[in-house]
Amino acid sequence: NYVTKVLYLNQEPVLEHDIFKDLQSAKNYSLNEREENKIVNIYEAAGKAFGALEFYVDWQFVKWGEPNTFTLYFRGGSIPDEYLKIGFYNDHVFFDRGHTNVEWVKESPGFTEKFTMLTQRIGGYENFSIYGIIDRNICELFTNVVGINDRRSFMTMTNTFFFTGGNYINSIDWLQTDGTKIKGTLRVRQIFPD
């Protein structure tokens, strides 16, 4: 259609809102020298998690494996077998919401479990990042955000997920594949509603 105009949607998270009280400063966790092919816990919520979880992971590959992959497992506190998988696989960020005990999610033919998006490199360098906010049943991801306070991104993804009622994310596990070496940091903070 030659008369169509191209419009761009600018999507940004809004965190500095009155409903959020007692913002904890982000806690930093090193991703350097992590053991390969083993799922390890790197974050546990202080107390019961019932608000939003904000995270920012920035990294660069020191050594590329085959495939060059890492995965973050965002686990429910009351049912750890329910979790989200978010990670990086060969220049793509992936989001997997299929690990749930909610039966209709498994039975619905219209519910897609996995999504990916291409991760453009910042300025042509080997630096990557994922910024995300996970609420009770919504996950919003931003790839290659320049910094934690500069939330501009090349690509965004927003999806719903469904866990058993009352099962909120309160821990994060880490897995990187054989041969992959990463230098980076995971920053996490919980946001509690008033």
Side-chain angles (χ1 to χ4, degrees), residues 85-174:
K85 287 172 64 176
I86 298 171
F88 182 86
Y89 177 83
N90 288 343
D91 285 343
H92 287 79
V93 169
F94 63 86
F95 175 73
D96 181 351
R97 60 185 180 166
H99 305 276
T100 177
N101 295 332
V102 177
E103 208 54 43
W104 75 264
V105 168
K106 298 174 183 177
E107 294 175 1
S108 173
F111 188 86
T112 306
E113 297 177 353
K114 299 174 184 170
F115 300 89
T116 62
M117 62 180 163
L118 180 64
T119 308
Q120 298 177 2
R121 299 180 186 202
I122 302 171
Y125 299 106
E126 299 297 318
N127 298 322
F128 301 90
S129 69
I130 302 170
Y131 173 76
I133 300 172
I134 302 173
D135 204 342
R136 293 184 182 190
N137 70 336
I138 296 174
C139 179
E140 194 164 16
L141 300 177
F142 297 78
T143 63
N144 285 343
V145 176
V146 177
I148 191 119
N149 295 317
D150 184 1
R151 298 184 180 102
R152 289 174 295 152
S153 175
F154 288 109
M155 302 289 289
T156 67
M157 177 191 300
T158 303
N159 281 295
T160 56
F161 65 94
F162 301 94
F163 284 178
T164 303
N167 188 24
Y168 307 121
I169 292 173
N170 82 334
S171 69
I172 303 173
D173 294 343
W174 169 266

Side-chain angles (χ1 to χ4, degrees), residues 2-3 14 24 39 43 52-53 67 102 118 126 133 169 179 182:
Y2 293 105
V3 296
V14 180
Q24 299 178 5
I39 298 174
Y43 170 77
L53 180 77
V102 177
L118 180 64
E126 299 297 318
I133 300 172
I169 292 173
I182 291 174

